[in-house]
Amino acid sequence: MDQIFNEFKGKIEKLDFSELNLYNKNADGRLNSAISEDMVFVFIKKYIPEIKKAPPRYWYDCIYKRYPFNIKITTGTGADNISSKIGMLYA
């Protein structure tokens, strides 16, 4: 594995995401997820200021040095791409 990737992974693994109160006020989980993804980005940026947010509708959400990544939110109970094993395999 690349040193930059391992550095980023190590920083992410140290974060305590349980302190986040993700958005769940909308009946449409897709909207909740979109708002929550922004909240997660702000949270990560507080501890890892080097990350940059991608432009809207870009193929990735954020980039750390040369590694693009996406932020995904799920309850694990819905019919979203991240909660299905096939969706995870495809990603």
Side-chain angles (χ1 to χ4, degrees), residues 56-68:
R57 307 290 299 160
Y58 220 61
W59 67 272
Y60 60 85
D61 295 329
C62 312
I63 192 163
Y64 177 78
K65 298 185 179 179
R66 68 173 183 251
Y67 284 97

Side-chain angles (χ1 to χ4, degrees), residues 40-57:
V40 169
F41 173 78
V42 169
F43 176 78
I44 294 172
K45 180 89 172 161
K46 183 169 52 170
Y47 296 100
I48 308 173
E50 305 92 342
I51 69 166
K52 306 267 187 281
K53 193 163 190 174
R57 307 290 299 160

Side-chain angles (χ1 to χ4, degrees), residues 14-91:
K14 290 178 185 172
L15 297 180
D16 181 8
F17 290 95
S18 69
E19 67 185 71
L20 281 171
N21 291 316
L22 299 178
Y23 190 83
N24 65 356
K25 294 177 174 64
N26 197 294
D28 186 341
R30 296 170 299 176
L31 296 175
N32 292 336
S33 179
I35 293 167
S36 291
E37 287 170 8
D38 285 339
M39 294 167 66
V40 169
F41 173 78
V42 169
F43 176 78
I44 294 172
K45 180 89 172 161
K46 183 169 52 170
Y47 296 100
I48 308 173
E50 305 92 342
I51 69 166
K52 306 267 187 281
K53 193 163 190 174
R57 307 290 299 160
Y58 220 61
W59 67 272
Y60 60 85
D61 295 329
C62 312
I63 192 163
Y64 177 78
K65 298 185 179 179
R66 68 173 183 251
Y67 284 97
F69 64 95
N70 287 305
I71 297 171
K72 296 296 171 201
I73 307 295
T74 186
T75 61
T77 60
D80 56 22
N81 292 337
I82 199 77
S83 67
S84 73
K85 290 181 183 176
I86 294 174
M88 287 297 290
L89 180 62
Y90 180 74

